[in-house]
Amino acid sequence: AVVSTQSTGADKRTLDAVWGCLKELSNKKLSVLAAQIIVNLTSHSDTLHTNTALLIKALREGHTHLYNSVAMVLSNTSRNTADSLSRLLTEADVSLLLRLLSSGQEQGYLAATLGNIALSEDGRKLLCSHLPEIIPLLTFPGNLIIRRNIARLLRNVSMDAKNHLILLEHLPMIVYPLVGPEELAEEDEEKLPLDLQYLGEDKTRESDLQTRTLISDTLFQMGGSYKVREVYRAEGYYELLKCYDQWEGDDDARERIQNVIYLIIQDDGQVDLRREGELPQGHETQTEVELVGS
């Protein structure tokens, strides 16, 4: 299983020798040096042949001395090989990456890899079956890189309208990072899903602006589907998002969450959705988020 891209002009025999050294997984000194060389090469070129099977093997067999380097290589190469990499990875491989992320055994590059995989249709399909494992990482304590890349993953998944109802099953936990300590009127509180009710004065919002913005983009894309908008209205999300809008200090971030609020308060006839899962007329150039790898 090799991810192939264009030729670089790098000496193939040298590169093969480096990969050969990495195969000596039990030789810590040699394999670490080889992995570091591959990290450097892949950080400056998107045109190398990558032995994905060997990288996954190093993770699966528990070679902890290689975790961060292997994760960096996967992250670097997945920026431009999302389609081919997502076809090579199995359900078990994705579960492995998520277990390593959840255990905190690497710095977050695997989250970046998964976010990049979500750029491809095959990758989005693969990841949707793992959302129960992915969603808790959106609030992973002490690691901004993981939280930000999981938010990017969800944003990329939401760009495909057929995933909206799958994401809807996890809506309370997607919104959770935007919720603060504000008390709502009891009737408004009671409309909310149980996971968002009475969170208390100690509840804090996500501190990272980019993560908050990505979550808002996800909610906006999801709001392109009528059934999602119905849930937004019926389950009291307007009040929660209005509190976040009033708290948010960044103008661009406020505009993005206001676009979500717009979808909630407007009648569907006024929203003028051109087809299920698309953006309101006139809003696509302002707020549609490109599928980007960083």
Side-chain angles (χ1 to χ4, degrees):
V2 177
V3 174
S4 299
T5 53
Q6 302 170 2
S7 175
T8 63
D11 186 273
K12 185 178 182 302
R13 287 176 298 178
T14 301
L15 186 57
D16 287 345
V18 174
W19 280 106
C21 292
L22 184 58
K23 289 181 181 178
E24 301 296 326
L25 296 173
S26 59
N27 185 329
K28 289 187 177 182
K29 186 174 181 179
L30 183 61
S31 59
V32 166
L33 178 60
Q36 290 172 345
I37 292 172
I38 295 171
V39 168
N40 291 334
L41 290 172
T42 55
S43 67
H44 293 96
S45 173
D46 57 9
T47 56
L48 294 176
H49 292 267
T50 304
N51 191 333
T52 304
L54 178 59
L55 297 173
I56 296 297
K57 179 182 179 182
L59 299 176
R60 176 166 285 113
E61 292 184 354
H63 297 282
T64 55
H65 58 287
L66 293 173
Y67 279 0
N68 280 314
S69 294
V70 166
M72 288 183 201
V73 174
L74 287 171
S75 176
N76 289 343
T77 57
S78 63
R79 290 190 304 241
N80 296 285
T81 60
D83 284 318
S84 54
L85 181 58
S86 61
R87 287 192 292 269
L88 289 175
L89 292 178
T90 66
E91 296 280 352
D93 293 337
V94 174
S95 292
L96 170 66
L97 301 187
L98 289 169
R99 283 199 305 273
L100 293 176
L101 276 171
S102 299
S103 65
Q105 293 186 69
E106 68 89 35
Q107 297 172 356
Y109 298 101
L110 293 179
T113 301
L114 295 174
N116 291 338
I117 290 171
L119 300 173
S120 74
E121 184 174 358
D122 287 337
R124 291 189 290 273
K125 182 178 179 181
L126 182 63
L127 292 169
C128 275
S129 63
H130 292 272
L131 284 177
E133 304 160 72
I134 290 169
I135 295 292
L137 295 170
L138 191 58
T139 54
F140 192 85
N143 193 316
L144 167 62
I145 302 303
I146 290 179
R147 298 198 306 275
R148 183 183 293 173
N149 279 288
I150 293 301
R152 184 167 62 88
L153 180 159
L154 294 174
R155 188 277 312 274
N156 289 345
V157 168
S158 75
M159 297 293 284
D160 192 335
K162 64 177 175 286
N163 296 328
H164 290 174
L165 297 187
I166 301 171
L167 289 167
L168 185 60
E169 298 174 10
H170 306 278
L171 182 59
M173 291 298 96
I174 294 174
V175 173
Y176 185 86
L178 301 184
V179 180
E182 296 87 356
E183 290 186 19
L184 302 180
E186 186 171 352
E187 60 183 24
D188 294 325
E189 199 83 51
E190 293 294 336
K191 287 199 303 184
L192 295 171
L194 290 176
D195 287 334
L196 296 176
Q197 289 183 12
Y198 304 105
L199 296 180
E201 60 184 17
D202 294 332
K203 174 66 174 72
T204 59
R205 289 186 171 89
E206 168 58 53
S207 60
D208 178 57
L209 172 62
Q210 189 172 340
T211 300
R212 297 196 305 271
T213 300
L214 288 164
I215 293 171
S216 294
D217 291 337
T218 301
L219 296 174
F220 183 68
Q221 294 295 334
M222 290 174 62
S225 293
Y226 172 70
K227 290 182 180 179
V228 175
R229 297 194 301 279
E230 278 192 317
V231 172
Y232 285 171
R233 293 163 183 153
E235 297 187 3
Y237 284 94
Y238 167 75
E239 294 295 337
L240 279 185
L241 299 182
K242 186 173 71 171
C243 288
Y244 165 55
D245 174 40
Q246 293 170 345
W247 173 89
E248 179 60 70
D250 181 85
D251 289 342
D252 179 64
R254 288 197 68 190
E255 181 178 353
R256 290 174 189 248
I257 199 61
Q258 286 168 4
N259 285 324
V260 182
I261 293 171
Y262 163 85
L263 294 178
I264 298 173
I265 64 177
Q266 292 297 317
D267 293 335
D268 287 322
Q270 293 175 295
V271 170
D272 187 26
L273 291 170
R274 289 163 289 151
R275 62 183 173 86
E276 193 74 352
E278 285 203 5
L279 307 180
Q281 187 76 31
H283 278 243
E284 61 273 19
T285 55
Q286 286 185 347
T287 54
E288 187 169 14
V289 182
E290 295 182 41
L291 291 179
V292 295
S294 59

